[in-house]
């Protein structure tokens, strides 16, 4: 097996900033203190700004002339559009992936979803989020389409920011977990149409809940 590739300094900075954004430590709309972060990460400005440039291209950071760097903020329409795009791309990924699924792959999906449910039962929303991300990433990888994998990965990061803004509820996650048996059954029977329908419904459920929570949070802050 090939040895794992070592990340460059710019890549390590990129991954740390992404972690800070997704965790909510750098919340949506906040100004990024370049001096504080470079000192915290013990890096110079050049690789830091290279990482910021990459994040800006991926839609996670906004660069405002003469004002600095800001974590991307989203309007309700932008959030809705992201989820509409995600439904289209995820269903396409399912269409490509299901014919490639072996029993071993499906057993892996079952393990991932079981761990997600176990995390929910103990109130561990962070682990639930990790397993949910793993589930969707694995489907994308099985599609065999590199452009699709890359596009979904970039979209997933933006959606994670939206979910952190909306403070996704445990009730939503519980409902999502209840769908796992139906999705697994569709995978086992290699029923592409059923699997796509279930994926579309799952993302629509999340979309509606996130939009409702976002609007509620926005009214609270505006008020």
């Amino acid at each position: 097996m090939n040895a794992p590739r070592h990340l460059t300094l710019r890549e390590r900075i990129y991954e740390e900033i992404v972690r800070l954004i997704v965790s909510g430590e750098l919340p949506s709309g906040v100004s990024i203190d370049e001096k504080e972060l470079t000192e915290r990460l013990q890096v110079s400005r050049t690789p830091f700004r290279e990482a910021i440039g990459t994040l800006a291209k991926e839609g996670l950071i906004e660069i405002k002339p003469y004002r600095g760097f800001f974590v991307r903020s989203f309007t309700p329409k932008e959030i809705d559009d992201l989820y509409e795009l995600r439904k289209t791309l995820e269903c396409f990924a399912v269409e490509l992936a299901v014919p490639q699924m072996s029993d071993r792959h499906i057993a892996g999906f079952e393990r991932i979803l079981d761990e997600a449910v176990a995390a929910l039962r103990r109130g561990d929303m962070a682990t639930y989020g990790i397993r949910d991300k793993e589930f969707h990433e694995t489907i994308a990888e099985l599609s065999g389409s590199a452009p699709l994998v890359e596009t979904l990965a970039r979209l997933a990061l933006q959606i994670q920011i939206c979910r952190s803004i909306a403070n996704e509820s445990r009730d939503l996650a519980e409902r999502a977990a209840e769908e796992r048996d139906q999705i697994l059954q569709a995978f086992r029977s290699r029923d592409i149409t059923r699997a796509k329908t279930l994926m579309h419904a799952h993302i629509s459920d999340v979309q509606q809940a996130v939009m409702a929570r976002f609007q509620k949070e926005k009214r609270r802050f505006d008020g």
Side-chain angles (χ1 to χ4, degrees):
M1 294 179 64
N2 296 328
R5 184 177 69 85
H6 292 290
L7 297 178
T8 65
L9 178 59
R10 180 188 61 78
E11 288 170 336
R12 292 201 300 271
I13 296 168
Y14 168 94
E15 291 203 348
E16 179 60 18
I17 296 174
V18 167
R19 186 192 66 79
L20 294 172
I21 293 172
V22 171
S23 70
E25 192 169 342
L26 288 176
S28 173
V30 74
S31 172
I32 295 176
D33 188 328
E34 181 179 19
K35 184 173 184 296
E36 189 275 331
L37 264 185
T38 53
E39 290 178 354
R40 173 174 172 176
L41 300 177
Q42 298 183 334
V43 297
S44 63
R45 288 177 60 186
T46 298
F48 178 84
R49 290 197 170 189
E50 288 174 351
I52 288 290
T54 301
L55 288 162
K57 289 178 183 177
E58 294 184 351
L60 300 182
I61 296 290
E62 293 177 296
I63 301 176
K64 300 182 180 181
Y66 309 109
R67 294 182 59 192
F69 313 128
F70 295 79
V71 178
R72 170 84 177 273
S73 57
F74 293 87
T75 66
K77 184 180 186 306
E78 286 172 333
I79 294 174
D80 199 45
D81 287 346
L82 282 173
Y83 274 98
E84 288 299 319
L85 178 58
R86 185 185 184 191
K87 281 188 285 192
T88 299
L89 294 178
E90 291 267 12
C91 288
F92 183 43
V94 166
E95 181 178 345
L96 296 177
V98 169
Q100 310 305 320
M101 289 181 187
S102 66
D103 291 342
R104 180 176 59 82
H105 289 133
I106 295 170
F109 285 126
E110 186 170 9
R111 174 189 58 78
I112 292 168
L113 295 177
D114 283 348
E115 290 177 4
V117 171
L120 287 172
R121 287 172 177 164
R122 62 177 182 270
D124 183 355
M125 298 302 291
T127 298
Y128 169 77
I130 291 169
R131 294 294 169 259
D132 181 67
K133 181 172 178 284
E134 184 181 0
F135 173 70
H136 289 282
E137 285 178 346
T138 305
I139 291 174
E141 289 166 5
L142 281 174
S143 75
S145 170
L148 183 57
V149 171
E150 181 181 346
T151 304
L152 278 170
R154 188 160 57 246
L155 185 64
L157 285 173
Q158 295 184 24
I159 282 177
Q160 284 185 67
I161 297 177
C162 297
R163 287 168 67 164
S164 67
I165 295 169
N167 188 23
E168 187 178 351
S169 69
R170 186 174 302 171
D171 180 59
L172 167 63
E174 288 283 8
R175 293 198 308 275
E178 291 174 1
E179 300 165 357
R180 77 189 190 284
D181 290 339
Q182 293 177 310
I183 291 175
L184 286 170
Q185 183 55 46
F187 286 173
R188 290 189 186 103
S189 61
R190 309 305 194 271
D191 187 338
I192 296 174
T193 301
R194 178 65 173 158
K196 287 173 63 177
T197 298
L198 290 167
M199 181 63 76
H200 191 280
H202 165 65
I203 296 172
S204 292
D205 186 35
V206 176
Q207 176 184 11
Q208 291 169 15
V210 169
M211 289 296 296
R213 191 63 179 252
F214 179 84
Q215 295 285 17
K216 181 179 179 181
E217 291 292 315
K218 188 175 185 299
R219 286 195 297 270
R220 183 169 68 86
F221 283 116
D222 289 347

